[in-house]
Amino acid sequence: VENLFYNMIARRKTLQNSADDYGKIVDLLSRMAIHHNNVSFSCRKHGAVKADVHSVVSPSRLDSIRSVYGASVAKNLMKVEVSSCDTSGCSFDMEGFISNSNYVAKKTILVLFINDRLVECSALKRAIEIVYAATLPKASKPFVYMSISLPREHVDINIHPTKKEVSLLNQEIIIEMIQSEVELKLRNANDTRTFQEQKVEYIQSTLKSSRSDPSVSPLPSGQKPPKV
């Protein structure tokens, strides 16, 4: 892409900070790369030698997460699946990965795809954070990837001007089912939680010192004792 918004001066003025915009591009391509693991992604900043996003075609989504977000994230993920075929209209399929109790981060990362479209759902994110807050220490935030498939007429994409935020039909029931499955996975994962251990050697030493009080001699009147 070259000369972006060349004929829209007002829009071009909002692109003053290239570092912030590039960070958003990297975040977007990282999310797309782990979902569309049948496509190779590569993103390199102009003038840089190393690519910030580099993924190859892989049949395993876990390998895609490892190549994009690192091995420390991938090794602490658990697979989660929920399916419902309710005749009342609450039918959906969800599959994804959630971080276990050994994963520690300061920011929640929720990669959510609904019908292969990258979206946001604040209600689902809040429900997942509630489960993690009740199960893990407060300083730990989860990494969650979820792909939900449901009938297109059950998705409302017109609740936000940017169409990033979506609302679902029977949203409360769907979120409750996903929340219950995530909680069950986390509680079972607590049985296999690992901790890092550091050995500390204590050295006992006795310090012997002899104190001798100096002889105190009276000072002439009007003189102050020296400061020590």
Side-chain angles (χ1 to χ4, degrees):
V1 179
E2 295 182 355
N3 297 326
L4 190 64
F5 305 119
Y6 71 94
N7 59 345
M8 300 176 65
I9 306 301
R11 182 66 180 87
R12 189 180 180 90
K13 288 182 179 179
T14 62
L15 301 176
Q16 295 179 355
N17 193 345
S18 60
D20 292 343
D21 291 329
Y22 181 70
K24 295 177 183 178
I25 293 172
V26 170
D27 180 65
L28 176 65
L29 289 181
S30 299
R31 296 168 184 263
M32 299 290 287
I34 66 175
H35 181 74
H36 301 284
N37 54 336
N38 58 339
V39 181
S40 297
F41 285 82
S42 180
C43 179
R44 179 174 56 87
K45 194 173 185 178
H46 180 68
V49 178
K50 185 179 179 181
D52 293 291
V53 178
H54 181 69
S55 67
V56 296
V57 176
S58 174
S60 172
R61 180 160 285 112
L62 193 61
D63 291 339
S64 299
I65 296 176
R66 183 179 294 107
S67 63
V68 175
Y69 288 94
S72 60
V73 177
K75 71 178 182 180
N76 291 318
L77 295 182
M78 304 178 296
K79 191 171 184 179
V80 59
E81 293 179 341
V82 180
S83 180
S84 175
C85 299
D86 193 355
T87 57
S88 61
C90 183
S91 60
F92 72 99
D93 294 317
M94 187 279 289
E95 62 177 6
F97 290 92
I98 60 173
S99 58
N100 58 20
S101 55
N102 296 321
Y103 176 80
V104 178
K106 296 182 179 180
K107 182 181 179 181
T108 300
I109 299 179
L110 173 60
V111 183
L112 177 62
F113 281 82
I114 296 181
N115 294 338
D116 292 331
R117 182 171 175 265
L118 181 62
V119 295
E120 296 177 0
C121 183
S122 58
L124 177 60
K125 182 179 180 180
R126 185 165 56 251
I128 293 175
E129 287 179 337
I130 290 174
V131 174
Y132 274 86
T135 311
L136 301 182
K138 293 182 179 180
S140 179
K141 301 295 182 180
F143 177 93
V144 179
Y145 161 78
M146 288 185 179
S147 176
I148 302 177
S149 299
L150 70 166
R152 294 185 179 273
E153 59 271 16
H154 293 178
V155 184
D156 185 6
I157 62 173
N158 294 316
I159 65 174
H160 195 274
T162 62
K163 300 187 186 299
K164 288 183 179 180
E165 185 83 13
V166 297
S167 180
L168 309 177
L169 184 67
N170 299 318
Q171 180 169 283
E172 294 81 5
I173 301 176
I174 294 176
I175 291 178
E176 184 179 357
M177 295 179 65
I178 295 176
Q179 188 182 32
S180 300
E181 183 65 22
V182 171
E183 184 179 5
L184 180 62
K185 283 284 185 179
L186 280 179
R187 294 194 180 280
N188 293 335
N190 271 342
D191 298 335
T192 59
R193 189 173 183 183
T194 59
F195 298 89
Q196 293 182 353
E197 181 179 336
Q198 183 179 4
K199 294 183 179 180
V200 180
E201 295 181 358
Y202 294 94
I203 301 176
Q204 295 181 353
S205 61
T206 305
L207 299 177
K208 295 182 179 180
S209 61
S210 60
R211 295 182 179 180
S212 59
D213 295 332
S215 58
V216 179
S217 59
L219 295 174
S221 61
Q223 294 186 5
K224 296 181 179 180
K227 293 183 179 180
V228 179

